[in-house]
Amino acid sequence: MTSGPYNYSYIFKYIIIGDMGVGKSCLLHQFTEKKFMADCPHTIGVEFGTRIIEVAGQKIKLQIWDTAGQERFRAVTRSYYRGAAGALMVYDITRRSTYNHLSSWLTDTRNLTNPSTVIFLIGNKSDLDGKRDVTYEEAKQFADENGLMFVEASAKTGQNVEEAFLETAKKIYQSIQDGRLDLNAAESGVQHKPAASARPLAAAPASNNNCAC
Amino acid sequence: MNHDEIKVVVQEKFLSSERVTALLCDAKVFHPEWVKKDRLLAIVEYGDEKAVFCLFSSCYPPKTFTDLSIEIILPIDNSFKCEIDNKPSDPEAILYLNLQSRLSKYKFEIQMTPRVDNFVDDLFRGIEAVNKIPTQPEFVWLKKYSVKNDDQTIAESIMLPKSNMHNTAPVAIRESLIKRKMSDKELEYTFTKNFTVFCGTWNVNDKSPVIPLKGWLSVDQEPPDIYAIGFQELDLSKETFLFDQTMREDEWYCAVLNYIDKRAKYIKVEKVRLVGMLLIVLIKEKHFQNVRNVICDTVGTGIMGKMGNKGGVAIRFDFHNTSICFVNSHLAAHVEEFERRNQDFRDICNRTRFVQIDQQPKSIKDHDHIYWLGDLNYRITEMDPITVKKLVSENNFKPVLEWDQLKQQHNNKNVFSGYTEGPITFKPTYKYDPGTDNWDSSEKHRAPAWCDRIFWKGDTITQLAYRSHPSLNISDHKPVSAIFSSRIKIIDEEKYRRVYEEVIKQLDKLENELIPQVKVDITEVDFGTVKYLELQVRTITIKNIGKLPVEFEFINKLDETQFCKEWLIVEPYKKCICADETCEIQLKVLINKTSACKMNAGTDKLYDILVLHLYGGKDIFITVNGTYQRSCFGCSIEVLVKLNMPIREVPVGKLIELENKRDQAVSNQSTYSIPKEIWFLVDHIYLHGLKEPNLFEQPGLHSEVLQIRDWLDSGSIDPIPGSIHSVAEALLLLLESTVDPIIPYNLQSICLKASANYLQCRQIIMELPEFRKNVFLYLCEFLQEALQHSSENGLDSKTLSTLFGAIFLRDNPNLVQEPQSRINKQIIDKKKAQFVYHFLVNDHSDLMFSR
């Protein structure tokens, strides 16, 4: 029998990172709910969202971890990078400082994920073109130099949000097809066929089995 | 636990008269939503009757019969069917067992083991046995094992997605939810269009197609979209009956293809035959691409209720978004046997099963449109044959039809309940002399009858014509046909996609909503100023605002072994909260000597981030912070002697620097020979308390100790607060809290060895670092003084040396040692006391302040 009874065949783990207030949670909300969340409170911790998408005829479940952007949580949020198949790195095109900090986010990502992790740079708030502080060209160059995928998006209008999440998934899927991503590696961030909701935060592996009977 | 032991446990679930004859421990049942679940399968025998039980066990292997619950009961009666399939990819290891009894059908997956043979043998013995006995078993004994029905189970599993916590079932439930939602919204993405359906039935009485069939199959203005043509008595030979082989099938099929309407091109959807019953379904070529899931089934109701000389054949398929089922049946013969015919109808309804991989089996009733045609064999018994013939010859059918058994049974809802038949305006189709239009001239002289009929069921079907075709006269029956205009639901692909996406989105939303959600009232807990040994408590409240119970736990951060710092206590740190309920969590901060030392040395601060994890959901960070008010408690002696001001006035950085440099050679910057705090306390006791009864034995008040702490730390000019006992306790606590004990840890074992020898003890003290020695001798001197007043204060040298022995020679908490036995500890404590004792009873003023 095929995977018929299930309606997805892979789980990809994503993390969303970037400075406070760049709109990480709004991007997640726009992606999972197709709505813009105005007055979104600061994320104190790590939010969790999920959606099933289709890539090359394969249903894929995305498990998305949206991390707190505040500097003081940086040490703790580092725990969540482990085992991410995709990392969405977000800055705010209207705040240059959020762009300037990208290299530090990128360093963390490179250090804490595996080499096949797909890193996608998102310049959020593209609807506020009038207040733009970072040009498209500049960011594009940064992305090219560091081998990142890149779009400018708007969690408010939804522009390019879907694309960013889907393109990341396509790239991951491509890596699987090419054999660049080893599904058996514990930290690939990809699970083939659905399994019980594994705890992607590797910090508490022992507690996973508590409720198994 | 082996198989036989499990069998014993399973047997206990039943009465002793009900014997478990075979057992499979590792079966999996496919639940209606196609979720595989581990089950035990048992065959249980009671007298002549057997049934298959499917049991769920709460643990594996089951320990007692109470672990088992009965989930499915399939009585082995004559409706029982058993089919075995192999998994094609893996024919060795897995078997699929399809068991069907009465109205229920289940599929089980079984690991191929030798036990399977026994089980299957036993099953087939049961089936054989039940088919030998003439009466249907009653299975009264099964009634006590009532089982809740499947619908309920499904409903429950949707309501309780334990899912988020541990199992995968909801995934499959999600799939079925999508199906259900899509069918609820069918109107939103379908439009309808009428198609014409031709149904024909003919009992050909063992004849070959020697005449053209055009007059039956191609007489209408427009070629129909679908043909469903049924034959009965295709071949009455014994070979056909026994071996189910006949040439006639091909002959008649070719004839049909030759004589259907030539103005359109047709393609075969399916044909199916059981002995003499043949059903052919054709569709216009241009519609064929919209036909899906074609399945057929046959049911024999003839001799022994099994054989195919009577019964039905059926073909189902989905045409666009409408499910269609055609049934061709030949019901029991004989004039009086209308009850038997009713029974045949019910048997065909109950036993026809369209089985498809990955889907619930469908029965006839599960279709939008049903067309039932055939030689139904109902007769006219209550009217004299001559009258019938006379009325019929006058085309006066109405009075005759009133006596038609089928009309009567149908009106009484004994048969074809819910089906419709159009008005009959044609002559009876049976029984003629073959080759003529004359009524049967044999000796029986039966009344003519409308044996050959067409019924339908479905809201959007209109009959356009219902007629017989008398010119086709080779059989003793005349063929009958009906034309229907049937409204078919057609999917608008674009709308379908839109609705599908909507449904998916809704479910995604639902799934996201089912992610545990809580609200924490405070995520930044500020303890303000925290003082040494002063417990502070803050409460945070977690409210479950989701729809499911939430289990939370504070979890470790990366590379940490504790979820919080040592000075923090979180209660409870793990709990389950029901929806809409709240849980209060107490955060308690207590700085004791261990944490105070770290705070003073700057290796720790009053700041921590706790990760509150919700199982299956998000993590919330709770920040804890406060300002530790530094105190002389928890400092090292070397630092204290250098502080010529109250500790609270010392800049933070300075203290940290001093603490970190304390091991370096003591310079002459030192202000005091002993810490001033020790001096203040000792001096106070010396001046005011030497005669205090129970000195060093009666505890002080905690609140007063805290006041004394503040007095020392702030350098107050007021007199020392509190009673002598509180001051004495503060002194002991202060001595206990120093980073190192007065006699350093590394000298402890030497001291213990030397404890019996005063001179050696003296030698050790002589060699102590300067300030340690000072403090030690100063305190001993003071204690000797106190002992002078033993008559008033009740002190004795033994008690004091024990008390101070434990302080001067404190055990190293960081040293992991084998747990000391009680006796061993007593010996060590004695030696410590002995060590100190020397200095309480001997004069050692010569050591004082010697450089």
Side-chain angles (χ1 to χ4, degrees), chain A residues 1 6-7 33 44-47 50-52 61 72-73 80 82 196-197 199 201 203 207 210-211, chain B residues 96 164 166 171 174-175 178 508-509 511-512 524 555-556 558 574 609 611 613 618-621 623:
Chain A
M1 250 155 294
Y6 306 104
N7 56 6
E33 312 271 325
I44 310 289
V46 176
E47 296 281 340
T50 164
R51 200 182 125 184
I52 292 174
K61 181 170 184 147
R72 63 194 175 104
F73 293 133
Y80 295 83
R82 191 179 282 182
S197 62
R199 166 110 185 93
L201 176 58
S207 53
N210 282 355
C211 34
Chain B
Y96 292 106
N164 272 326
H166 1 269
V171 177
R174 187 184 151 104
E175 183 82 349
I178 291 173
D508 276 340
K509 192 165 173 248
E511 197 169 321
N512 280 313
E524 286 185 42
I555 56 166
N556 299 353
L558 196 63
K574 180 176 179 173
I609 296 175
V611 181
H613 173 61
K618 64 178 180 180
D619 292 357
I620 298 157
F621 297 161
T623 312

Side-chain angles (χ1 to χ4, degrees), chain B residues 211-382:
Chain B
I211 53 159
L213 309 179
K214 196 166 181 301
W216 174 38
L217 300 179
S218 180
V219 290
D220 294 297
Q221 283 196 335
E222 292 293 326
D225 294 293
I226 299 173
Y227 271 111
I229 300 155
F231 296 97
Q232 304 85 32
E233 296 193 354
L234 213 58
D235 192 335
L236 294 177
S237 68
K238 267 224 169 66
E239 291 74 22
T240 308
F241 177 49
L242 293 177
F243 306 114
D244 202 18
Q245 286 172 341
T246 176
M247 303 285 288
R248 291 266 169 75
E249 176 173 347
D250 286 342
E251 288 175 20
W252 281 100
Y253 179 55
C254 289
V256 165
L257 292 185
N258 275 333
Y259 292 109
I260 51 174
D261 207 311
K262 288 292 181 236
R263 290 169 294 175
K265 267 199 140 176
Y266 291 91
I267 269 190
K268 181 184 79 175
V269 172
E270 183 61 291
K271 72 182 160 76
V272 56
R273 186 180 58 80
L274 176 67
V275 189
M277 293 173 283
L278 171 66
L279 175 63
I280 301 165
V281 176
L282 308 169
I283 194 161
K284 273 186 183 164
E285 193 178 29
K286 61 176 179 181
H287 300 320
F288 187 68
Q289 57 175 352
N290 299 309
V291 172
R292 274 182 210 90
N293 305 324
V294 181
I295 312 168
C296 54
D297 192 26
T298 64
V299 171
T301 59
I303 297 162
M304 303 188 324
K306 294 271 168 224
M307 300 304 282
N309 59 329
K310 293 290 184 301
V313 293
I315 295 172
R316 65 91 48 208
F317 56 94
D318 295 315
F319 182 46
H320 288 287
N321 211 35
T322 296
S323 55
I324 303 180
C325 181
F326 292 103
V327 185
N328 170 25
S329 70
H330 190 187
L331 306 186
H334 304 298
V335 176
E336 305 291 345
E337 292 273 17
F338 63 87
E339 287 287 10
R340 178 69 224 177
R341 292 188 268 279
N342 294 353
Q343 182 59 44
D344 284 354
F345 170 81
R346 286 192 290 270
D347 283 350
I348 293 168
C349 288
N350 291 344
R351 285 163 54 194
T352 303
R353 279 287 178 281
F354 302 107
V355 179
Q356 220 181 334
I357 286 267
D358 283 10
Q359 279 195 17
Q360 271 270 75
K362 285 195 165 64
S363 53
I364 293 171
K365 66 173 169 35
D366 302 326
H367 292 83
D368 299 326
H369 290 177
I370 308 166
Y371 303 90
W372 194 307
L373 47 98
D375 178 0
L376 307 184
N377 249 330
Y378 288 85
R379 310 298 173 91
I380 289 152
T381 44
E382 308 291 311

Side-chain angles (χ1 to χ4, degrees), chain B residues 413-478:
Chain B
K413 296 193 166 42
N414 291 331
V415 77
F416 285 105
S417 181
Y419 287 75
T420 315
E421 187 191 22
I424 293 177
T425 56
F426 51 88
K427 284 186 178 168
T429 54
Y430 181 75
K431 177 178 182 178
Y432 293 89
D433 282 337
T436 72
D437 289 344
N438 304 328
W439 300 118
D440 174 41
S441 57
S442 67
E443 70 288 355
K444 282 190 191 162
H445 282 293
R446 286 185 289 212
W450 286 278
C451 285
D452 306 283
R453 310 283 276 265
I454 298 171
F455 280 70
W456 77 89
K457 190 177 170 186
D459 293 337
T460 54
I461 301 175
T462 316
Q463 194 177 58
L464 304 177
Y466 190 25
R467 65 257 163 135
S468 70
H469 305 269
S471 64
L472 285 81
N473 59 13
I474 52 173
S475 163
D476 55 356
H477 287 253
K478 301 292 186 190

Side-chain angles (χ1 to χ4, degrees), chain A residues 110-124:
Chain A
R110 297 252 198 251
N111 289 342
L112 298 163
T113 62
N114 62 65
S116 57
T117 300
V118 173
I119 308 175
F120 202 111
L121 179 64
I122 300 176
N124 192 27

Side-chain angles (χ1 to χ4, degrees), chain B residues 57 63 127 160 279 323 404 438 481 489 512 547 571 750:
Chain B
S57 181
K63 291 183 188 66
I127 297 169
L160 299 171
L279 175 63
S323 55
D404 173 50
N438 304 328
S481 72
K489 290 171 286 188
N512 280 313
K547 295 173 180 167
E571 284 174 348
I750 301 169

Side-chain angles (χ1 to χ4, degrees), chain B residues 4 19 138 328 536 542 558 601 606 710 759 809 831 845:
Chain B
D4 289 331
R19 206 167 55 85
E138 288 178 340
N328 170 25
Q536 294 230 40
I542 302 180
L558 196 63
L606 260 180
D710 286 344
L759 288 177
L809 288 158
K831 285 184 175 172
S845 50

